[in-house]
Amino acid sequence: MTTSKVTVAAATAAGNAPADLDNGSTETKASGYWRPTAAERPTPYIEVDEARLVRNIEAMQRRADAAGVLMFPHVKTHKSLYIARQQLARGARGITASKPSEALVFAEAGIPSIILAYPIVTAQSLDRLLPVVKARGTQLRAIAASKPGVDALSEAAAQHAVEIGVFLKVDVGLGRVGIKPNDPAALELCARIAASAGLHFAGLLSHAGHSYATNGPQSLAKVVHDEAADLAGLAGQLRERGIAVDCLSVGATPTCLGAPLPNEVDCIRPGNYVFLDGTALRLGICTADDLALCVVARVVASNDTHFILDAGSKSMSSDRGAHGMGGAGFGTVVSAEGDGEKGTWTLERLSEEHGFVPFSGRPLALGSRVRVFPNHSCASIANFDHFALRHANGEATVLPVDARSCQT
């Protein structure tokens, strides 16, 4: 297999951009959006390009293998058993999930090892998941960032007679969930995990989601360096206190794809890399040709200034990017008719069932179909029960979004 363009884009983000990527014509840069005619299905629908999906999975797995780190990709991006199995077949050791109900779908399907990367604060939250974990022999690791969280996990483990590995969630800059690495409470909480019945201390885990707000290779590389330094520094303090730290786990597509993986890290948990999106393009960690997911929509109306699509916020989501960090508009629009139309447009605004696209001098015909490459692919696929996996021969297989609506 030839070197993936994802790998080329990663080199770009690390400061080694090839000249044609930086200095190519506008049409050359846009050409990556152009695809053959979309499958004829009721619109709107999610299309996933099989070749690009596989290419992205394999490229990230090669990065992990080269760095000697384990892959536990985050399935909240795709919520698909089919895609998770593709990841495992290519070398992932398990998966990362968000809510317990999401993890349950994958545990029931026999995924061998799951990281539950969402804070648990009541033991009852795990009442459906843990019996399946026990019956299947699934390795389960969770996170904690508070004493009530540790106690809830210990209570749940005792009630269901299972052992749960628990990572300390470390806040390395996003400001969402976690303990700051220099907070003295971090050491005490790790000791509490290690001493709690039914639990074992699994290590340190972080998510550098603030990397989505970086504005260039240098700032992205700094986030990666600082995250690794924070985890390694805290791990050193824990080891000095006699607490073994088996794993340092990080996860965010920009940090895993856009800069070299740090030597200190043992495990990575990227999610968005399987599809990529407009936010990844904005960050410079991929090219348009790497985008594996789009929404196929239809032009249903036009007025003096816009043509209107049948895909609004209930299809695209109203998210401009991960953590609300995104660019202008809600996606890039191109023709899906395979008719040689080489224009690109911006999905400017949304109502619930309508998308508004400025003419920009040339409207598309009423009834014609378009592909919309969203700013945030994870939020888009979560709006659909199924997706169409487009094969190289132009045919499509319809597959379920198995863990859709898993909110608890």
Side-chain angles (χ1 to χ4, degrees):
M1 176 175 286
T2 57
T3 302
S4 165
K5 290 181 182 175
V6 174
T7 307
V8 173
T12 303
N16 301 310
D20 60 346
L21 199 60
D22 273 351
N23 302 317
S25 68
T26 300
E27 183 170 308
T28 299
K29 292 180 179 179
S31 66
Y33 289 115
W34 302 334
R35 314 285 162 87
T37 307
E40 187 58 67
R41 294 183 47 77
T43 57
Y45 69 88
I46 290 283
E47 177 190 82
V48 174
D49 185 288
E50 182 180 35
R52 289 175 171 86
L53 171 73
V54 170
R55 192 173 76 191
N56 292 346
I57 291 172
E58 292 180 344
M60 184 65 85
Q61 187 65 53
R62 284 196 301 271
R63 286 178 64 80
D65 292 344
V69 300
L70 303 180
M71 268 284 286
F72 276 75
H74 208 314
V75 297
K76 61 89 182 174
T77 290
H78 54 73
K79 298 178 178 287
S80 162
L81 292 172
Y82 171 83
I83 296 177
R85 287 169 178 146
Q86 299 303 305
Q87 293 169 309
L88 290 168
R90 286 162 176 81
R93 299 298 182 87
I95 58 112
T96 301
S98 290
K99 301 290 184 68
S101 60
E102 183 174 87
L104 177 61
V105 172
F106 293 87
E108 288 177 332
I111 301 299
S113 183
I114 298 174
I115 297 174
L116 187 63
Y118 200 88
I120 299 300
V121 293
T122 64
Q124 294 75 23
S125 299
L126 298 176
D127 280 347
R128 293 177 59 212
L129 176 60
L130 291 186
V132 175
V133 165
K134 184 176 181 179
R136 294 277 187 170
T138 310
Q139 180 193 41
L140 179 68
R141 289 175 289 176
I143 66 167
S146 67
K147 290 180 180 179
V150 174
D151 295 345
L153 288 167
S154 180
E155 179 184 344
Q159 287 177 350
H160 294 278
V162 298
E163 183 178 76
I164 303 173
V166 180
F167 289 99
L168 178 73
K169 178 64 183 290
V170 182
D171 178 9
V172 293
L174 179 59
R176 188 175 65 181
V177 175
I179 293 184
K180 298 291 186 183
N182 57 355
D183 187 336
L187 300 174
E188 300 306 320
L189 197 57
C190 291
R192 189 182 188 92
I193 294 168
S196 294
L199 308 183
H200 70 267
F201 180 57
L204 305 176
L205 180 148
S206 62
H207 171 60
H210 54 302
S211 61
Y212 283 95
T214 56
N215 57 10
Q218 288 74 29
S219 59
L220 180 56
K222 185 177 187 306
V223 170
V224 173
H225 173 271
D226 291 349
E227 178 182 34
D230 284 342
L231 295 185
L234 179 55
Q237 294 180 60
L238 289 167
R239 289 169 179 138
E240 288 175 1
R241 293 186 56 162
I243 299 175
V245 182
D246 295 332
C247 181
L248 301 184
S249 176
V250 301
T253 289
T255 58
C256 293
L257 186 57
L261 296 174
N263 293 331
E264 298 90 339
V265 168
D266 304 298
C267 166
I268 60 172
R269 310 179 323 278
N272 181 264
Y273 77 96
V274 296
F275 296 146
L276 299 166
D277 52 25
T279 301
L281 273 176
R282 175 180 60 79
L283 291 171
I285 61 172
C286 75
T287 70
D289 189 50
D290 296 315
L291 304 182
L293 178 144
C294 66
V295 176
V296 178
R298 195 178 298 274
V299 180
V300 294
S302 62
N303 55 38
D304 292 341
T305 57
H306 294 77
F307 57 89
I308 311 300
L309 308 181
D310 60 359
S313 63
K314 289 181 177 177
S315 298
M316 303 302 305
S317 92
S318 57
D319 198 344
R320 294 180 183 269
H323 306 295
M325 304 167 187
F330 296 91
T332 298
V333 180
V334 300
S335 173
E337 298 292 355
D339 53 6
E341 168 59 64
K342 295 185 177 180
T344 62
W345 294 262
T346 298
L347 181 58
E348 182 181 66
R349 58 189 175 93
L350 305 171
S351 57
E352 291 181 56
E353 303 288 359
H354 303 82
F356 294 74
V357 183
F359 277 164
S360 300
R362 53 188 193 286
L364 287 173
L366 198 67
S368 63
R369 293 171 304 159
V370 298
R371 286 184 171 94
V372 186
F373 294 90
N375 279 357
H376 194 187
S377 59
C378 312
S380 295
I381 195 171
N383 290 320
F384 290 83
D385 291 324
H386 299 86
F387 66 94
L389 183 70
R390 186 186 184 283
H391 307 299
N393 63 4
E395 296 179 359
T397 300
V398 177
L399 296 170
V401 182
D402 301 275
R404 192 197 175 203
S405 300
C406 291
Q407 301 288 344
T408 58

